[in-house]
């Protein structure tokens, strides 16, 4: 099983959006028996809460399920439990490196936008602060599409 963890600051906007989008893609490509998806946050402000209303609204409009998703905090064990840990921005990458000693774990870590050739943005702007959930969705969708293509190629799926 290939395990993918999406990470943002609070785990209520971008990372659950990415988790839901990626899981939807994985299911539509009949890869759910090969790829498992989760998300987490670096902070603990929202632990146990559902995704942000803006995230829920955009996912609802696209008929993408987020059922059962609740915020959780990323922990040091995630670096051994997951194959890919995908951050939404540079700040998240720094937080992951501080948490997991990036050089001593099995997980491949990187930013979602790094999987896109010539991305519009280097980071997915946080809609919690910008209010622009549509733009975040656009970026996350493109990033997830390219990440899935990368994983399929790397693992011959």
């Amino acid at each position: 099983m290939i395990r993918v963890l999406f990470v943002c600051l609070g785990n209520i906007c971008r990372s659950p959006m990415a988790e839901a989008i990626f899981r939807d893609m994985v299911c539509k490509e009949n890869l759910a028996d090969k790829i498992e998806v989760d998300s987490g946050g670096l902070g603990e402000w929202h632990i146990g809460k559902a995704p942000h209303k803006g995230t829920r609204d955009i996912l609802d409009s696209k008929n993408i399920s987020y059922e059962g998703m609740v915020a959780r905090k990323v922990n040091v064990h995630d670096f051994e439990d997951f194959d890919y840990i995908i951050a939404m921005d540079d700040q998240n990458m720094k937080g992951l490196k501080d948490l997991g000693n990036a050089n001593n774990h099995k997980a491949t870590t990187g930013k979602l936008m790094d999987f896109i050739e010539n991305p519009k943005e280097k980071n997915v702007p946080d809609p919690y602060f910008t209010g622009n959930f549509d733009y975040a969705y656009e970026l996350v969708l493109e990033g997830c599409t390219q990440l899935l293509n990368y994983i399929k190629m790397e693992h011959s799926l």
Side-chain angles (χ1 to χ4, degrees), residues 49-95:
K49 294 182 183 173
H52 187 283
K53 182 179 181 337
T55 294
R56 295 191 316 263
D57 288 348
I58 192 84
L59 293 173
D60 285 340
S61 75
K62 307 294 182 186
N63 293 314
I64 297 174
S65 175
Y66 50 86
E67 184 179 345
M69 291 173 50
V70 294
R72 74 171 185 88
K73 188 171 188 232
V74 174
N75 65 67
V76 71
H77 301 291
D78 289 328
F79 291 91
E80 292 303 322
D81 294 341
F82 288 89
D83 301 291
Y84 296 90
I85 299 180
I86 307 300
M88 297 296 127
D89 62 30
D90 290 329
Q91 180 185 0
N92 304 151
M93 282 300 296
K94 182 185 179 320

Side-chain angles (χ1 to χ4, degrees), residues 5-6 11 15 18 23 30 35-36 43 48 63-64 72 90 103 105 113-114 118 121 125 132 136 150 156:
L5 177 68
F6 293 100
N11 194 215
S15 59
R23 181 178 289 125
N30 296 314
I35 301 173
E36 185 178 315
N63 293 314
I64 297 174
R72 74 171 185 88
D90 290 329
N103 298 321
H105 57 76
M113 294 294 97
D114 291 345
N118 302 314
E121 304 271 354
N132 196 341
Y150 175 84
S156 302

